[in-house]
Amino acid sequence: MVHKVLFWSGFGLAVRFWQLGIEMRPFFNKESLWAYPFFAGVGGSFGYWLTGVEQRQLQMLSERRESLIEKRRRRAERESKGAEQSHAGGVAASKAMIQSGANFTSDSMAKINIPLSKYIRLGITKVFWVPLRSIIRFSFSFTELLLPEGLAQDMEQLPQNIEPPTFESSAAPMADTSTTAPVAPGTLDIPVTAPSTDPIADASASPIAEGGKGIKKVQQNKKEPKAKDAKEGMGKPKQSQGGDTVKEPGPSAKALKEAKKAEKQARRAQEKQTSSGPPQQQGQGKKAEGAKGGNQKEQLAPKGGHKRAGSTTAEAQRTIPVRSSNQLAPTVVEPPQEHKHVSLFRHLDGNARRTSISGAASSVHPAVLALGLQMSSYEICGSTARCVATLLAFKRVIESYTTPPGTTLTRHLTFHLSHQITYLTSCRPISVSMGNAIRWLKLQISDTDIDTPESEAKLELCAAIDNFIREKVTLADQVIASSAGEKIHDGDVVLTYAKSRIVEQVLIHAHDRGTKFRVIVIDSRPLFEGKNLARALAGHGLEVQYSFTHALSYVAKDITKVFLGAHAMLSNGRLYSRVGTALVAMTAKTRDIPVIVCCESIKFTERVNLDSIVTNELAPPDELVLSLADSPSSTSSTPATVSPPPATSPTQSTQSTSPAPAPAPGLPNWRNQPNLNLLNLMYDVTPAEYIKMVITEYGSLPPSSVPVVHRMSTEKNDRFV
């Protein structure tokens, strides 16, 4: 008892420490020290109560065990006494029969004046009749399916109506099989009828009349069926010994099924012999063609499947037309193209992206159709841009929506939007910001009053979408740009990766404030998003340097700050962004360069990722294959980094009569190379240790405070709804 009380007292203290840890309060405070004895006392009281409950349960179980043992002991005593009495009665009966020297029947045994007569009868019944009755029941259950229907019904009541066996002094001779035979000594009083022409009925009756030897006959009849004889012998009247006509019971369903099966096997064997011979001429008639068509249908049917018994050869001929040998031309089947994938990321290789509107559901709105194709072709790229475009498309869906009769807007509109979401997911997986916005919109629809008119409800939903975009995106970006722009000072060299709309606003806002700084844009294949960012910043008058990731270590010696965008901020403080972001952050961390992430709260998620393998987006690998138009040599600021495609000199082209075409750049036939696989990941995960600060519309905070801000923004969204 003591150790349990101490354990639960310690558990109560642990609960107090857990509570203070969740609330982020100090463990030892003078004003709240009284709570520790209280929690320990509550835990100890629970342990003391639990000990009492356990003792009562053990006592109850012990009493139950003793009662069961006593019951079993009493039952064993009763059974042992009964067995002794039965044994004594049987021995006494045997001695009496031996001394008398005669065979007693059941009536004579009842007249014997023996004090233990009832025990004698009980002993004989237990010793002889009970095992014999079990054997009879087992034999009846085994041969039930082999007996005709009428005989089986009569014999169902036989084990209950049979009297105990009688013991005769001598065996009576067996009478003619056509009449009811007298009971032989030690056998059952079962009437034996004359043998019929039905082999199935004979086989069914043989296990009883011949002691189980008829089972072998049944097996032989199954191997060599005689359907015709069985049909002729079923249901025929026969003459009894008195001259009266007695009609046997009709054939059972089992017998008919066996006869049909035998007939079918015979027909199939005949058709096989016919098909194995020379081909028949066309003038042999429609009957042979129908038989051939039926044979083909039986061969095409699955072996274990159900076959239709009533199908005719004409139906089979219509189902499977017979072709001549000159119509069967050999077809060349091309081997299926091997699916190229990396084994480590096989779980990410789902369905291919949709690149056209063919096959889309009719309920998908045209605005959603266009949006899906724009997302699939990267015309709309970026988490925030895709979120805003999705909300605007859903706004157009709501404006053109009409509630069907018999339903309500709050129920059917959510179902109608699910078709739009499914189509967008087939074009490209939805982003974290899109998922948060869709959940907010569904909650807004479910909170709409059912009594609100449809036109008014649609106007309220459209206004709510506009307010959500203005508050969560537009105003949030302005606050983040103003707060992050103050972190940039004169003479700074700011590095950014790829293209982020919020980072672009931050740099432009800092430049408009009069800050003199330089920007280095690091870019990578295959999207080359940094080109658009460098072009936009240069258009605003900023000094921009554009380079690729292979020059990151070279330009890192000059940078003073790193500004990065985000696809999502995870609950464990990690950054989920465009692939290559972790490389930039790690390089900056090794040189003690602060990494600042600009992210709206709509991109926060409760999801936790430790790597970029379990959860990621797998883009088509063909995007990594360069073509001449996509070669970065024409737009790169460092032409030496990418070699131009080889060209043929004029002298060589004039000397050769048939000049060979220039080899295509990249890997146009990479799928035909068995040992080459391309991997095109979209995002990676940056550890929280590489991030110095996260700037949101709620202010600047460390990565560890991301779940707190996410909870605050979620509660605000609920109030906003």
Side-chain angles (χ1 to χ4, degrees):
M1 177 187 298
V2 178
H3 68 279
K4 290 188 177 181
V5 173
L6 293 177
F7 170 78
W8 286 106
S9 301
F11 183 80
L13 295 176
V15 170
R16 176 59 179 172
F17 284 115
W18 185 27
Q19 177 187 5
L20 295 177
I22 292 176
E23 296 177 356
M24 296 183 181
R25 294 164 53 190
F27 289 150
F28 301 101
N29 190 4
K30 294 182 179 180
E31 298 178 356
S32 61
L33 287 177
W34 59 270
Y36 288 100
F38 175 76
F39 276 82
V42 171
S45 302
F46 179 76
Y48 181 77
W49 174 81
L50 196 63
T51 303
V53 171
E54 184 178 359
Q55 292 178 355
R56 288 192 295 271
Q57 291 289 337
L58 291 176
Q59 184 179 1
M60 186 185 304
L61 291 175
S62 62
E63 293 176 356
R64 179 63 177 170
R65 179 174 175 274
E66 292 176 358
S67 62
L68 290 176
I69 292 174
E70 182 66 20
K71 288 182 180 179
R72 292 178 182 177
R73 186 182 61 79
R74 293 176 182 176
R75 185 175 61 183
E77 291 179 356
R78 288 195 302 268
E79 291 179 354
S80 61
K81 290 181 180 180
E84 291 176 358
Q85 293 175 358
S86 300
H87 180 68
V91 171
S94 300
K95 289 181 178 180
M97 291 175 64
I98 293 172
Q99 292 176 2
S100 62
N103 296 331
F104 297 97
T105 60
S106 60
D107 297 334
S108 60
M109 289 177 65
K111 295 178 181 179
I112 297 176
N113 189 10
I114 299 176
L116 299 177
S117 59
K118 62 177 182 179
Y119 299 110
I120 294 174
R121 290 197 299 271
L122 180 62
I124 294 175
T125 303
K126 285 184 175 292
V127 173
F128 297 100
W129 172 238
V130 174
L132 184 60
R133 185 177 58 183
S134 302
I135 294 173
I136 293 173
R137 288 183 177 178
F138 174 76
S139 62
F140 284 169
S141 63
F142 181 76
T143 60
E144 184 179 0
L145 295 178
L146 302 179
L147 294 175
E149 185 177 1
L151 185 58
Q153 294 178 357
D154 296 337
M155 295 182 67
E156 285 179 358
Q157 305 296 332
L158 188 59
Q160 290 78 8
N161 300 331
I162 296 177
E163 296 293 333
T166 59
F167 300 91
E168 299 290 345
S169 58
S170 60
M174 183 69 69
D176 189 9
T177 56
S178 61
T179 60
T180 303
V183 181
T187 60
L188 298 178
D189 188 10
I190 301 175
V192 181
T193 59
S196 64
T197 57
D198 189 356
I200 300 177
D202 294 341
S204 304
S206 59
I208 304 172
E210 301 180 10
K213 296 181 181 180
I215 299 176
K216 297 183 179 179
K217 296 181 181 180
V218 176
Q219 296 178 353
Q220 294 176 1
N221 291 333
K222 288 186 177 180
K223 293 182 179 179
E224 300 178 359
K226 299 180 181 179
K228 188 173 181 180
D229 298 340
K231 280 189 174 181
E232 293 177 356
M234 290 180 181
K236 283 187 177 182
K238 60 180 182 179
Q239 294 291 334
S240 63
Q241 192 174 11
D244 298 334
T245 303
V246 180
K247 187 176 180 181
E248 291 186 354
S252 62
K254 180 71 175 178
L256 292 176
K257 189 173 181 181
E258 292 290 340
K260 290 182 180 179
K261 185 176 180 181
E263 187 176 347
K264 192 180 228 181
Q265 290 178 355
R267 186 176 67 251
R268 188 177 301 173
Q270 184 179 1
E271 290 173 354
K272 286 183 179 180
Q273 293 178 2
T274 305
S275 61
S276 61
Q280 299 179 357
Q281 301 295 331
Q282 296 182 359
Q284 291 184 357
K286 298 181 180 180
K287 186 175 180 180
E289 294 179 0
K292 186 177 180 181
N295 189 19
Q296 290 180 358
K297 183 175 181 181
E298 292 175 359
Q299 291 177 359
L300 290 175
K303 294 183 179 179
H306 177 72
K307 298 181 180 179
R308 186 178 300 174
S311 62
T312 59
T313 57
E315 294 177 355
Q317 187 175 1
R318 288 197 301 268
T319 306
I320 305 175
V322 180
R323 294 185 178 181
S324 59
S325 59
N326 55 3
Q327 294 179 355
L328 298 176
T331 57
V332 179
V333 180
E334 298 181 358
Q337 191 175 8
E338 183 182 359
H339 186 60
K340 310 281 285 186
H341 56 76
V342 180
S343 300
L344 184 61
F345 297 91
R346 183 179 300 177
H347 61 283
L348 302 176
D349 193 4
N351 299 327
R353 290 184 181 178
R354 182 189 294 271
T355 57
S356 63
I357 61 174
S358 60
S362 59
S363 58
V364 181
H365 196 272
V368 179
L369 293 174
L371 176 62
L373 296 181
Q374 290 174 350
M375 289 183 180
S376 179
S377 60
Y378 300 109
E379 294 182 13
I380 298 179
C381 191
S383 178
T384 306
R386 292 166 60 192
C387 177
V388 174
T390 302
L391 289 176
L392 294 178
F394 286 171
K395 179 181 176 182
R396 295 184 59 182
V397 171
I398 294 173
E399 291 175 350
S400 61
Y401 170 77
T402 302
T403 305
T407 59
T408 59
L409 182 140
T410 56
R411 295 182 179 180
H412 187 266
L413 182 56
T414 305
F415 175 75
H416 182 63
L417 288 179
S418 63
H419 296 286
Q420 326 297 325
I421 299 170
T422 303
Y423 173 78
L424 293 178
T425 306
S426 64
C427 295
R428 188 179 174 187
I430 61 176
S431 62
V432 174
S433 57
M434 290 173 61
N436 293 335
I438 290 172
R439 281 191 292 271
W440 168 84
L441 181 58
K442 288 184 177 181
L443 183 61
Q444 183 77 3
I445 295 173
S446 62
D447 289 344
T448 303
D449 191 3
I450 194 174
D451 297 329
T452 306
E454 180 179 345
S455 58
E456 184 178 350
K458 289 163 62 176
L459 290 176
E460 292 178 357
L461 290 175
C462 294
I465 291 175
D466 293 336
N467 293 335
F468 185 85
I469 295 175
R470 180 169 52 255
E471 179 180 347
K472 289 294 182 180
V473 179
T474 306
L475 296 179
D477 289 350
Q478 294 178 2
V479 173
I480 293 173
S482 176
S483 177
E486 298 176 356
K487 309 294 181 182
I488 302 176
H489 306 286
D490 292 334
D492 284 344
V493 179
V494 179
L495 183 138
T496 184
Y497 178 72
K499 182 182 184 298
S500 175
R501 191 174 64 89
I502 184 61
V503 173
E504 179 182 353
Q505 294 182 10
V506 169
L507 298 177
I508 293 176
H509 180 78
H511 177 73
D512 294 341
R513 290 175 56 250
T515 306
K516 303 297 182 181
F517 61 96
R518 185 162 58 94
V519 180
I520 299 177
V521 179
I522 300 297
D523 203 1
S524 65
R525 296 175 54 221
L527 298 181
F528 297 109
E529 298 175 286
K531 295 180 183 179
N532 298 329
L533 177 62
R535 188 181 298 111
L537 295 178
H540 281 80
L542 278 76
E543 183 181 355
V544 181
Q545 178 182 350
Y546 178 84
S547 183
F548 294 106
T549 52
H550 59 262
L552 179 61
S553 59
Y554 175 76
V555 300
K557 60 184 180 181
D558 298 330
I559 61 178
T560 58
K561 292 182 178 65
V562 176
F563 280 83
L564 298 175
H567 178 83
M569 285 299 301
L570 307 177
S571 291
N572 55 351
R574 300 202 171 198
L575 171 63
Y576 188 71
S577 187
R578 185 75 67 210
V579 62
T581 304
L583 176 63
V584 175
M586 182 181 64
T587 304
K589 178 66 176 179
T590 56
R591 298 177 179 269
D592 295 332
I593 301 172
V595 178
I596 302 174
V597 178
C598 301
C599 180
E600 302 91 339
S601 61
I602 195 177
K603 297 181 181 179
F604 287 11
T605 178
E606 67 278 0
R607 193 174 64 190
V608 174
N609 282 11
L610 300 179
D611 51 38
S612 56
I613 299 176
V614 177
T615 304
N616 210 322
E617 180 181 350
L618 196 62
D622 292 326
E623 296 177 357
L624 296 177
V625 180
L626 285 176
S627 61
L628 185 60
D630 297 333
S631 179
S633 59
S634 59
T635 56
S636 175
S637 61
T638 58
T641 57
V642 180
S643 302
T648 308
S649 62
T651 57
Q652 294 176 352
S653 61
T654 55
Q655 291 176 0
S656 60
T657 57
S658 59
L667 298 169
N669 298 325
W670 68 274
R671 292 185 180 275
N672 298 330
Q673 300 184 18
N675 298 327
L676 178 61
N677 296 325
L678 299 184
L679 180 64
N680 188 12
L681 292 177
M682 293 294 295
Y683 305 103
D684 63 7
V685 177
T686 303
E689 296 80 10
Y690 297 165
I691 301 173
K692 181 72 174 178
M693 183 186 305
V694 180
I695 300 178
T696 66
E697 64 267 29
Y698 296 100
S700 303
L701 49 97
S704 58
S705 300
V706 169
V708 180
V709 175
H710 176 62
R711 184 171 64 251
M712 293 172 56
S713 61
T714 304
E715 295 174 356
K716 186 175 181 180
N717 289 341
D718 296 340
R719 293 194 300 268
F720 180 73
V721 171

